[in-house]
Amino acid sequence: MQKLLKNKLLIALICLFVFVVAFYLLREYFASKEKYTESYLRDEEYYMVPKTYGVNEYSVTKISDQDMSRIYLNDYIYNINQNIEFAYNLLNEEYRNKKFGNLESFRNYINSTKYSNTLTKYSKSSKLGKTIYGAYDNYGNHYIFKTSGVMQYEVYLDDYTVEI
């Protein structure tokens, strides 16, 4: 009887030891997996964690220079197609007066030119606190967007009529 009780106690201790070791191993496995996942999710350039935003909250996103050039080109081509007068007014005033003089001249220029919103080449520079994006469409047309803020820009269709 003593021997049977001693064997049951030994088996219970061995089982308890196995459970404790298994518990700690599983806990370490899941903790390391969670650390890896958290470090991956913190890299906002590649992955954004979905979040519900309340009033006056915003999310920081990184937009490349190529994407910004594409956004400006798409916006301007959209304005040419939808509201040519607005597109004309987006031209720099000095450039607009020297190159076209009036809306009708600009309209004739647009009607005689093939243009596209497909970006083939782009560039970015800064001058006097303004960011300047250069964009070429697949017809070789050159668009220069001089920005003073996000989506606040003036347009030049060449770089030789006036100094940018």
Side-chain angles (χ1 to χ4, degrees):
M1 186 76 162
Q2 192 78 347
K3 194 174 179 180
L4 186 61
L5 185 59
K6 198 176 185 182
N7 284 342
K8 284 184 180 180
L9 185 59
L10 184 62
I11 290 173
L13 285 175
I14 290 174
C15 287
L16 181 63
F17 178 75
V18 168
F19 284 126
V20 168
V21 169
F23 173 75
Y24 281 110
L25 288 175
L26 286 173
R27 192 177 89 178
E28 287 299 315
Y29 170 75
F30 286 116
S32 67
K33 189 175 181 181
E34 185 175 309
K35 285 179 188 174
Y36 172 76
T37 304
E38 285 177 4
S39 68
Y40 178 72
L41 293 177
R42 272 187 258 125
D43 193 0
E44 292 181 356
E45 183 174 354
Y46 300 105
Y47 185 79
M48 294 289 294
V49 179
K51 180 181 174 189
T52 303
Y53 293 98
V55 176
N56 295 330
E57 285 188 291
Y58 62 91
S59 170
V60 177
T61 58
K62 182 177 171 112
I63 298 178
S64 69
D65 295 335
Q66 181 179 13
D67 289 339
M68 212 58 222
S69 297
R70 184 176 291 117
I71 289 167
Y72 285 122
L73 178 64
N74 284 335
D75 187 61
Y76 191 65
I77 297 299
Y78 174 81
N79 287 322
I80 285 174
N81 291 327
Q82 298 301 316
N83 188 348
I84 198 161
E85 186 175 339
F86 184 72
Y88 177 71
N89 289 327
L90 283 174
L91 294 171
N92 172 272
E93 186 176 357
E94 180 185 0
Y95 175 80
R96 177 177 61 213
N97 293 333
K98 264 190 173 177
K99 178 85 174 182
F100 301 108
N102 59 37
L103 178 61
E104 197 56 41
S105 176
F106 178 69
R107 186 171 285 146
N108 291 336
Y109 172 80
I110 292 299
N111 291 335
S112 67
T113 305
K114 288 185 177 182
Y115 56 90
S116 167
N117 64 350
T118 304
L119 182 71
T120 56
K121 290 192 298 186
Y122 70 95
S123 64
K124 178 187 173 187
S125 62
S126 294
K127 188 174 183 182
L128 300 173
K130 305 268 184 169
T131 304
I132 300 169
Y133 292 95
Y136 286 89
D137 67 7
N138 58 350
Y139 290 107
N141 298 318
H142 189 198
Y143 305 87
I144 302 164
F145 303 98
K146 188 174 184 181
T147 65
S148 56
V150 177
M151 298 309 289
Q152 296 175 353
Y153 62 91
E154 53 186 30
V155 182
Y156 301 82
L157 300 177
D158 61 49
D159 57 355
Y160 51 83
T161 302
V162 296
E163 185 177 339
I164 300 172

